Coordinates of all heavy atoms in Angstrom, one line a residue:
Chain B
F205 N -12.8 7.3 0.7 CA -12.7 6.0 0.0 C -12.8 4.9 1.1 O -13.3 3.8 0.8 CB -11.4 5.9 -0.7 CG -11.4 6.8 -1.9 CD1 -10.4 7.8 -2.1 CD2 -12.4 6.8 -2.9 CE1 -10.4 8.7 -3.1 CE2 -12.4 7.7 -4.0 CZ -11.4 8.6 -4.1
F206 N -12.4 5.2 2.3 CA -12.7 4.2 3.4 C -14.2 4.1 3.6 O -14.7 3.0 3.7 CB -12.0 4.6 4.7 CG -10.6 4.1 4.9 CD1 -9.5 4.9 4.9 CD2 -10.4 2.7 4.9 CE1 -8.2 4.4 5.1 CE2 -9.2 2.2 5.1 CZ -8.1 3.0 5.2
A207 N -14.8 5.3 3.5 CA -16.3 5.2 3.7 C -17.0 4.4 2.6 O -17.9 3.7 2.8 CB -16.8 6.7 3.7
W208 N -16.4 4.6 1.4 CA -17.0 3.8 0.3 C -16.9 2.3 0.5 O -17.8 1.5 0.2 CB -16.2 4.1 -1.0 CG -16.9 5.2 -1.9 CD1 -16.4 6.4 -2.1 CD2 -18.1 5.1 -2.6 NE1 -17.2 7.2 -2.9 CE2 -18.3 6.4 -3.2 CE3 -19.1 4.1 -2.8 CZ2 -19.4 6.6 -4.0 CZ3 -20.2 4.4 -3.5 CH2 -20.3 5.6 -4.1
T209 N -15.7 1.8 1.1 CA -15.6 0.4 1.4 C -16.6 -0.1 2.3 O -17.1 -1.2 2.2 CB -14.2 0.1 2.0 OG1 -14.0 0.8 3.1 CG2 -13.1 0.4 1.0
Y210 N -17.0 0.8 3.3 CA -18.1 0.3 4.3 C -19.4 0.3 3.5 O -20.2 -0.6 3.7 CB -18.1 1.3 5.5 CG -16.9 1.2 6.3 CD1 -16.1 2.4 6.6 CD2 -16.5 0.0 6.9 CE1 -15.0 2.3 7.4 CE2 -15.4 -0.1 7.7 CZ -14.6 1.1 7.9 OH -13.5 1.0 8.7
I211 N -19.6 1.3 2.7 CA -20.9 1.3 2.0 C -21.1 0.1 1.1 O -22.2 -0.4 0.9 CB -21.0 2.6 1.1 CG1 -21.1 3.8 2.0 CG2 -22.1 2.6 0.1 CD1 -20.9 5.2 1.3
L212 N -19.9 -0.4 0.6 CA -20.0 -1.5 -0.4 C -19.9 -2.9 0.2 O -19.9 -3.9 -0.5 CB -18.9 -1.3 -1.5 CG -19.0 0.0 -2.3 CD1 -17.7 0.3 -3.0 CD2 -20.1 -0.2 -3.3
Q213 N -19.8 -3.0 1.5 CA -19.7 -4.3 2.2 C -21.0 -5.1 2.1 O -22.0 -4.5 1.8 CB -19.3 -4.0 3.7 CG -17.8 -3.8 3.9 CD -17.4 -3.5 5.3 OE1 -18.3 -3.5 6.2 NE2 -16.1 -3.4 5.6
P214 N -20.9 -6.4 2.4 CA -22.1 -7.2 2.4 C -23.3 -6.6 3.2 O -24.4 -6.6 2.7 CB -21.7 -8.5 2.9 CG -20.2 -8.6 2.7 CD -19.7 -7.2 2.8
D215 N -23.0 -6.0 4.3 CA -24.1 -5.4 5.1 C -24.0 -3.9 5.0 O -24.5 -3.2 5.9 CB -24.0 -5.8 6.6 CG -22.6 -5.6 7.2 OD1 -21.7 -5.1 6.4 OD2 -22.4 -5.8 8.4
G216 N -23.5 -3.4 3.9 CA -23.3 -1.9 3.7 C -24.6 -1.3 3.2 O -25.6 -2.0 2.9
A217 N -24.5 0.0 2.9 CA -25.7 0.8 2.5 C -26.2 0.4 1.2 O -27.4 0.4 1.0 CB -25.3 2.3 2.6
V218 N -25.3 0.0 0.2 CA -25.8 -0.3 -1.1 C -26.7 -1.5 -1.1 O -27.8 -1.5 -1.6 CB -24.6 -0.5 -2.1 CG1 -25.1 -0.9 -3.5 CG2 -23.8 0.8 -2.2
N219 N -26.2 -2.6 -0.4 CA -27.1 -3.8 -0.4 C -28.4 -3.5 0.4 O -29.4 -4.0 0.1 CB -26.3 -4.9 0.3 CG -25.4 -5.6 -0.7 OD1 -25.5 -5.4 -1.9 ND2 -24.6 -6.5 -0.3
S220 N -28.2 -2.7 1.5 CA -29.4 -2.4 2.3 C -30.5 -1.6 1.5 O -31.7 -1.9 1.5 CB -29.0 -1.6 3.5 OG -28.1 -2.3 4.3
L221 N -30.0 -0.7 0.7 CA -30.9 0.1 -0.1 C -31.6 -0.8 -1.2 O -32.8 -0.6 -1.4 CB -30.1 1.2 -0.8 CG -30.9 2.2 -1.7 CD1 -31.7 3.1 -0.8 CD2 -29.9 3.1 -2.5
L222 N -30.8 -1.6 -1.8 CA -31.4 -2.5 -2.8 C -32.5 -3.4 -2.2 O -33.5 -3.6 -2.7 CB -30.3 -3.4 -3.4 CG -29.4 -2.7 -4.4 CD1 -28.2 -3.5 -4.8 CD2 -30.1 -2.2 -5.7

Side-chain angles (χ1 to χ4, degrees):
Chain B
F205 294 120
F206 269 118
W208 268 111
T209 58
Y210 293 122
I211 289 169
L212 296 163
Q213 277 178 359
D215 54 355
V218 176
N219 275 353
S220 300
L221 183 69
L222 288 169

